[in-house]
Amino acid sequence: MSAAEPDVARGVLFDLDGTLVDTIGLIVASFQHAVMAVTGEAVDEATARSWIGRPLLPVLLERSPTHGEEMDRVYREWNRANTERLIRPYAGIAELLADLAADGVPMGIVTSKRREIAQYALDSVGLGSAIALLGTLEDTSEHKPDPAPLLLGAKRLGVEPRDCTYVGDATVDVLAARAAGMRSIAVSWGAGTTADLEATTPDLMVGSVGELAAYLLAR
């Protein structure tokens, strides 16, 4: 943990991909498949990882304004077909969510994923009933690093933004939390590199689920 730890907030909002559920390999492979299938171009892992955390279609339209929508379709089709094969749980996350619930901590998920596929990902690792989806792609017109999704999540949680912590694995998560007036916790087991995350100066950086649990449950 960082030397200067922030006060523990009353409500906790989580990112999904790379934070609660290990979808990194699935997402990278989905990007690589979609771009190759439609344009014949290869995408390296570092580039694909850098796209994680943002809405899918704008990323692919940036890659190719001409073929972005077709890549979006191919990505979604391949991703759904391979989710159960490639998705993985993170050890300790189910227990952390159960402990937070037992302590009466308000919590939920704010993600850039579509609601249906986000729920499918949670169900695939047995977390479907453990935590609510409070904000998904369909819920706001602006997306991370814009604060709008996080502010909506806090509203639905019934907690003031200043009393919330947002936990995520990407630089856009830290930036969105700061813009929303929330505390930020960056986790190092997801898509973002430690150097990139540290450069955004989160309130706290953790390297394991156990470290995250020790902080969030210190109430």
Side-chain angles (χ1 to χ4, degrees):
M1 295 187 184
S2 64
E5 297 180 359
D7 294 334
V8 179
R10 292 195 299 113
V12 183
L13 295 171
F14 293 93
D15 172 55
L16 178 61
D17 293 312
T19 300
L20 294 182
V21 179
D22 185 1
T23 52
I24 303 304
L26 169 65
I27 293 172
V28 168
S30 298
F31 274 129
Q32 291 174 328
H33 171 80
V35 176
M36 177 61 73
V38 176
T39 69
E41 299 172 352
V43 174
D44 62 81
E45 181 176 348
T47 297
R49 278 176 169 263
S50 74
W51 295 340
I52 297 174
R54 298 173 55 200
L56 176 62
L57 182 57
V59 167
L60 294 175
L61 285 171
E62 283 181 10
R63 176 77 183 194
S64 173
T66 303
H67 302 293
E69 291 188 1
E70 177 62 9
M71 288 192 290
D72 178 84
R73 183 193 66 78
V74 172
Y75 176 106
R76 294 185 188 284
E77 183 179 89
W78 194 91
N79 182 277
R80 181 61 185 259
N82 290 275
T83 291
E84 291 189 10
R85 180 173 68 87
L86 295 177
I87 198 170
R88 300 287 185 270
Y90 283 124
I93 287 293
E95 292 79 6
L96 168 60
L97 297 181
D99 288 342
L100 289 171
D103 278 2
V105 177
M107 61 180 177
I109 294 171
V110 174
T111 175
S112 296
K113 259 183 162 35
R114 291 177 185 264
R115 182 167 294 272
E116 187 240 347
I117 194 64
Q119 190 63 56
Y120 182 54
L122 288 168
D123 291 342
S124 295
V125 294
L127 296 179
S129 60
I131 187 169
L133 284 166
L134 298 180
T136 59
L137 179 70
E138 301 92 336
D139 292 321
T140 57
S141 59
E142 301 297 328
H143 306 286
K144 297 180 295 186
D146 190 276
L150 277 64
L151 294 173
L152 177 64
K155 181 179 180 180
R156 290 179 170 176
L157 200 64
V159 176
E160 291 294 323
R162 65 177 179 272
D163 294 324
C164 277
T165 293
Y166 189 60
V167 183
D169 68 304
T171 57
V172 293
D173 298 325
V174 177
L175 296 174
R178 181 176 300 118
M182 298 180 184
R183 298 173 180 87
S184 59
I185 298 180
V187 304
S188 65
W189 55 79
T193 67
T194 298
D196 286 344
L197 290 168
E198 288 179 341
T200 62
T201 61
D203 292 302
L204 186 66
M205 182 97 183
V206 297
S208 69
V209 175
E211 193 176 357
L212 177 63
Y215 176 75
L216 293 178
L217 292 168
R219 296 170 181 269

